[in-house]
Amino acid sequence: MASSGHQSPAALGHLHVVDMSDSIAGQYCGRLLADHGATVTLIEPPEGSPIRRAAPLSVDTPGESLMFRHLNAGKRSIAIDLAKTGAQRLRDELMSRADIIILPPGAARKEFAAIGAQTVVVRIDDFAPETSLGHWRGPEIVIQALSGMMHNNGAHGREPLYGYGERSAFAAGLAAYIGALAALYVRPTIGRGQDVLIDRAETAAAMAFPYVMQFLYSGHDRLRSELSITAGQALCRDGWVCIWIYNFRWRALCETLGLAHLISDPRFADPLTRKANWSALFEIIQSVVADRLADEVVDALQQAQVIAAKAPGLTELRDHPHLIARDYWRRAGDERILGPAWRFSRTPRGEIAPPPALDDTRMMRSAAE
Amino acid sequence: MNPLPLAGIRVVELCTAWAGPMAGRVLAWLGAEVIHVEAPTRTNSWRINKETPQPMNFANGDPGARHYDRTFLFNSQNVNKRSLVLDLKTTEGRAALRDLLAVTDVVTCNFRPGTLEKLGVDYESLARIKPDIIVAEIPAFGLDGPMSGYAALGPTMEMAAGMASLIGYPDGPPETTGPSYLDPIGGFNAAAAIMTALMHRQRTGEGQHIEIPQVEAAMQFIGADLLLSCETGIDIPRGGNHRPDAAPHDAFPAQGVDQWVAIGVFDDDQWRRLCVVIDAPEAAHDPRFVTHGARLKHQREISELVREWTRARDKHAIADALQDAGVPAAPVQTPKDVAASRHLAARGFFDELERPDLGRHPYPGLPVRLSETPGGARAAAPAFGADNVAILRDILGRSDDEITAMIASGVIADAPKPGA
């Protein structure tokens, strides 16, 4: 990307953050803050954050949670046993100096006398406690089912599919990051910090709103059987390819795939008939790409400005030429970590420290002494 | 009353469809003035201007004479914004854009890399006339690298990010999820990056150029799985709704056509509670199901047992009963269900907005909730070119005669050209 000619200190290098969240969403918010230079201290119980034991676990480093590494690289850790004398004072001292405190679900500013008026408090709940679903349990499949997203997924006649992983937690962490920075941005103007309250269920719904809006506008309650997206997956010799058939690129698609005869085929003459005969169309496309390499098909289509992409497995991404060319993969100490989510000309993400050992600040203190 | 966080920040949006406008929507929610720029020769694809209008896509089911102003897609995504329609193929149109950007804080662009250069408004050019400007480009694959010229949409980005390879029936292809899940994620990533740059600018006075490669940004969401596969060299197989830490963990049929309820059992206690609710007390002690490991091995039998109970019952009632008993469950909600969600209503998720030509409708909100400076939806999405005159006059200081000439020559327009 274009360089500004000089680089500046990290964008958030002046901030102190205390992460007490114990959740994927909260720790992801903290990780983003650490990525941009904030000093983020993870306060853990003596046995460590539960995320330290979360799957998947490393094969190369037995006992290490890769989820913990992903969420907590760049932070430091302090273990506090509140049953011990002086522990609360230590915690309060950290909290009193913080610009941002990420609380665990359900906790509130008023429970902590040490939180100052200038501090921005972030909390991410599955369901906001004051709502009627405040007592509900919200694993990922529950959140996705409620959001309206799951209703779009999978084959009609079969069970709808949830989107793998913990995506609503990551999205909520991202929303929390935006909210925290917005609160800091306005702090000089209003003269104080404030609370940023993120609800995972609401966040997930905000990522799936278009068909809800369609219902609100026209009363149309979209069925899963409706083909609204003119895209499909075809299996090439070495992998799957998603092809998006925009109406205005129909001719280009046919010509690129050697299917020029389809342009005049009455079954596919216009967008509506193409939708009506979608299965037949995709069978034909499947037949012509079956013996071709996925990357070649994608490249040929993209050259013709037809949108297509291969579905690489995760192992393929490790050595993917595009990611390698962009110097994507990085190291935190000896460990692999993902590259930055965003790239900045003046304040790029710098070196990231490895995820902290439990209570690494104590070790640092000892070393200093 | 406190000012909104981004009051006084002007954003110009050179974007189409979902991801780019989503970023602007977040910034507008937080108080920024966001100007959505389109060309009369190329409308935002979310205006669905190139397709034969179908009533279901428009306000009150009526395309009307200006159907491009009435689509649920564009109007959901562009609340709180202003519309400027400039013909950027003309010298006057490009000059007006440059003048506008000279008094702008943030520029966003989600077209292919190189678009800003072609328009003469790339970061380097803009920084010469406004050193503190922030330019955020939101390409799918980044600004460089062998795939940087590839175009993409949410589903193809979900494929490219490796996510789709993890989603699907065990006997089926990789699936994309929707609607177009990675688009709003791209928008949120862009908004987060812009907030980061604004923080830096507030402290130092420095602007900068930001790149938000949407596919790479989305990979963060499966980061731990990526690290595992990088270590092992083994791809994670698609397993439908199954996951290793829960059983059952699936969607089960409920009363009605294509109605489903999602249920997940993560420990022995939840299993015992489920058995009570579905009136299968013997299953709680059945050796095939009594431990998590045993349940993982016998998911088919468990599914049959649960399905027998759910299939004739209402999905909402099932979820309420199970959640009240401490078992994670939820109805798989249709758009109508989400619109009626009591949880979202309690959060104030929907704001009613009115525009004379559309009428009054509820609009979905955003999840970023600040206690002292709450954002919100303040104005319905603008009609095509609705703010042309006001922007040219009030921001750019163009005279009435100049504006009249721009209208006459088609440099600004309030209707798309045919085929746009």
Side-chain angles (χ1 to χ4, degrees):
Chain A
M1 68 183 297
S3 163
S4 64
H6 80 272
Q7 292 186 353
S8 300
L12 308 181
H14 58 301
L15 297 179
H16 287 269
V17 178
V18 169
D19 183 351
M20 302 165 65
S21 62
D22 264 359
S23 69
I24 291 172
Q27 292 190 1
Y28 184 56
C29 175
R31 170 68 202 275
L32 291 172
L33 292 162
D35 269 8
H36 298 288
T39 300
V40 182
T41 305
L42 184 68
I43 295 186
E44 304 185 71
E47 70 276 16
S49 164
I51 303 295
R52 287 188 182 274
R53 299 176 285 283
L57 299 178
S58 170
V59 174
D60 292 348
T61 312
E64 185 198 4
S65 163
L66 295 173
M67 184 63 84
F68 185 84
R69 183 199 298 174
H70 180 50
L71 296 175
N72 291 292
K75 299 181 189 174
R76 56 185 199 173
S77 159
I78 185 162
I80 295 183
D81 183 351
L82 289 173
K84 290 190 175 169
T85 309
Q88 186 170 326
R89 195 175 64 235
L90 178 59
R91 185 194 66 186
D92 287 353
E93 194 179 313
L94 286 167
M95 293 179 93
S96 67
R97 287 198 306 236
D99 297 284
I100 300 173
I101 296 174
I102 309 171
L103 292 179
R109 174 190 287 263
K110 63 185 178 192
E111 296 167 24
F112 304 93
I115 299 178
Q118 292 291 313
T119 304
V120 171
V121 170
V122 176
R123 192 187 75 211
I124 306 164
D125 298 303
D126 294 345
F127 302 97
E130 70 277 9
T131 66
S132 62
L133 301 191
H135 67 293
W136 274 35
R137 292 163 194 250
E140 189 64 31
I141 195 170
V142 164
I143 300 291
Q144 290 189 26
L146 284 174
S147 73
M149 188 191 77
M150 205 166 153
H151 176 71
N152 293 283
N153 305 340
H156 181 61
R158 299 184 72 170
E159 71 276 14
L161 295 166
Y162 93 118
Y164 178 91
E166 305 288 342
R167 56 172 56 179
S168 74
F170 280 92
L174 189 55
Y177 178 84
I178 293 169
L181 293 197
L184 283 175
Y185 192 81
V186 78
R187 186 170 66 172
T189 306
I190 66 171
R192 61 188 181 280
Q194 55 180 313
D195 294 350
V196 177
L197 302 173
I198 306 294
D199 175 298
R200 259 178 76 212
E202 183 182 33
T203 305
M207 305 298 171
F209 64 83
Y211 296 129
V212 180
M213 190 65 225
Q214 185 181 37
F215 171 78
L216 293 168
Y217 252 26
S218 69
H220 178 70
D221 194 19
R222 185 180 174 277
L223 302 172
R224 219 155 51 99
S225 55
E226 289 177 40
L227 176 69
S228 57
I229 295 176
T230 48
Q233 277 84 275
L235 182 59
C236 298
R237 180 156 33 115
D238 60 341
W240 291 90
V241 166
C242 178
I243 303 173
W244 188 287
I245 306 179
Y246 264 135
N247 294 329
F248 65 96
R249 303 308 299 165
W250 168 241
R251 174 178 286 273
L253 170 89
C254 293
E255 290 172 347
T256 304
L257 294 181
L259 295 169
H261 59 284
L262 293 188
I263 296 169
S264 56
D265 189 318
R267 292 175 299 166
F268 314 122
D270 58 60
L272 289 180
T273 54
R274 280 200 289 280
K275 270 191 182 180
N277 295 297
W278 186 253
S279 299
L281 173 59
F282 235 80
E283 251 180 58
I284 296 169
I285 291 174
Q286 174 62 71
S287 68
V288 298
V289 303
D291 289 331
R292 300 176 63 179
L293 293 172
D295 282 330
E296 287 177 11
V297 170
V298 169
D299 197 54
L301 289 169
Q302 286 279 358
Q303 295 303 327
Q305 298 193 10
V306 175
I307 295 177
K310 185 182 179 186
L314 302 193
T315 55
E316 194 176 338
L317 291 172
R318 179 184 58 186
D319 305 313
H320 198 286
H322 180 73
L323 295 176
I324 299 297
R326 284 174 55 73
D327 189 24
Y328 176 72
W329 294 104
R330 304 294 170 86
R331 294 266 161 196
D334 294 332
E335 308 286 3
R336 179 191 293 263
I337 59 170
L338 274 67
W342 328 307
R343 302 187 184 205
F344 294 81
S345 60
R346 280 192 196 273
T347 59
R349 190 181 86 173
E351 291 294 313
I352 300 294
L358 182 60
D359 205 20
D360 72 338
T361 52
R362 185 183 59 188
M363 288 188 282
M364 286 191 290
R365 282 200 305 273
S366 300
E369 286 160 10
Chain B
M1 189 172 155
N2 292 320
L4 290 173
L6 299 186
I9 295 293
R10 178 174 293 137
V11 180
V12 168
E13 190 174 83
L14 300 167
C15 295
T16 191
W18 194 351
M22 184 70 157
R25 184 172 160 223
V26 174
L27 301 174
W29 175 271
L30 294 169
E33 176 197 29
V34 179
I35 299 172
H36 182 76
V37 176
E38 292 174 77
T41 53
R42 184 174 179 179
T43 59
N44 183 323
S45 64
W46 270 33
R47 291 190 182 275
I48 334 179
N49 193 41
K50 290 182 177 174
E51 295 181 19
T52 306
Q54 297 183 57
M56 70 177 76
N57 293 332
F58 301 97
N60 307 322
D62 177 13
R66 292 171 61 96
H67 64 270
Y68 44 82
D69 280 342
R70 300 177 61 82
T71 72
F72 74 96
L73 285 171
F74 183 87
N75 288 353
S76 63
Q77 186 64 7
N78 291 288
V79 292
N80 290 339
K81 297 184 190 174
R82 309 178 81 188
S83 169
L84 174 64
V85 175
L86 281 176
D87 188 346
L88 298 175
K89 291 180 178 168
T90 65
T91 305
E92 298 95 320
R94 287 196 297 275
L97 178 64
R98 273 195 300 276
D99 289 350
L100 177 61
L101 297 183
V103 291
T104 288
D105 301 288
V106 178
V107 183
T108 61
C109 176
N110 74 335
F111 292 103
R112 289 178 204 241
T115 299
L116 294 180
E117 283 87 344
K118 282 181 195 163
L119 293 171
V121 293
D122 55 288
Y123 173 73
E124 300 294 342
S125 302
L126 292 176
R128 280 195 286 274
I129 54 174
K130 191 167 192 307
D132 68 347
I133 199 164
I134 293 166
V135 175
E137 295 198 65
I138 318 169
F141 296 98
L143 295 175
D144 55 41
M147 289 169 63
S148 58
Y150 283 12
L153 296 156
T156 57
M157 290 192 288
E158 196 169 2
M159 299 282 275
M163 282 183 179
S165 74
L166 303 167
I167 304 167
Y169 304 107
D171 57 346
E175 296 273 358
T176 58
T177 57
S180 208
Y181 185 68
L182 283 205
D183 278 317
I185 296 304
F188 263 64
N189 270 303
I194 290 165
M195 284 305 310
T196 311
L198 282 170
M199 286 291 296
H200 177 70
R201 195 182 80 153
Q202 186 184 53
R203 199 160 55 99
T204 65
E206 293 179 344
Q208 58 180 319
H209 185 197
I210 318 171
E211 173 191 353
I212 300 101
Q214 293 187 62
V215 169
E216 291 170 18
M219 286 164 63
Q220 297 287 332
F221 281 34
I222 53 168
D225 299 296
L226 279 163
L227 294 177
L228 180 66
S229 285
C230 285
E231 274 193 1
T232 62
I234 298 170
D235 284 320
I236 299 166
R238 291 184 283 280
N241 286 322
H242 294 172
R243 51 186 287 166
D245 59 348
H249 187 274
D250 210 342
F252 297 90
Q255 187 181 57
V257 178
D258 201 29
Q259 300 298 311
W260 303 83
V261 62
I263 300 172
V265 169
F266 290 79
D267 58 37
D268 296 345
D269 181 55
Q270 290 177 3
W271 169 248
R272 288 190 290 270
R273 289 166 184 267
L274 173 71
C275 291
V276 170
V277 176
I278 68 172
D279 196 22
E282 70 288 351
H285 308 291
D286 187 320
R288 292 174 301 165
F289 312 139
V290 77
T291 65
H292 174 66
R295 289 192 292 278
L296 276 177
K297 283 183 191 160
H298 296 98
Q299 296 204 62
R300 180 177 296 181
E301 294 93 320
I302 292 174
S303 289
E304 285 173 9
L305 184 69
V306 176
R307 194 182 299 124
E308 272 310 303
W309 185 77
T310 61
R311 69 167 70 250
R313 288 176 164 79
D314 175 73
K315 64 183 180 183
H316 299 282
I318 294 169
D320 283 341
L322 289 172
Q323 286 279 6
D324 286 347
V327 180
V332 177
Q333 299 211 106
T334 69
K336 184 179 179 181
D337 296 326
V338 176
S341 162
R342 60 187 193 267
H343 180 70
L344 294 177
R347 291 291 289 172
F349 184 67
F350 296 101
D351 287 296
E352 287 211 349
L353 300 170
E354 185 163 9
R355 205 178 78 190
D357 57 322
L358 299 172
R360 191 171 185 84
H361 298 277
Y363 288 80
L366 291 173
V368 184
R369 304 277 177 190
L370 277 62
S371 61
E372 305 297 317
T373 58
R378 303 175 296 282
F384 192 77
D387 302 293
N388 288 347
V389 172
I391 291 168
L392 288 168
R393 185 188 58 216
D394 301 338
I395 299 177
L396 301 186
R398 298 289 203 267
S399 68
D400 289 346
D401 288 347
E402 287 173 312
I403 293 170
T404 301
M406 291 175 84
I407 294 170
S409 62
V411 174
I412 56 173
D414 62 5
K417 290 188 174 170

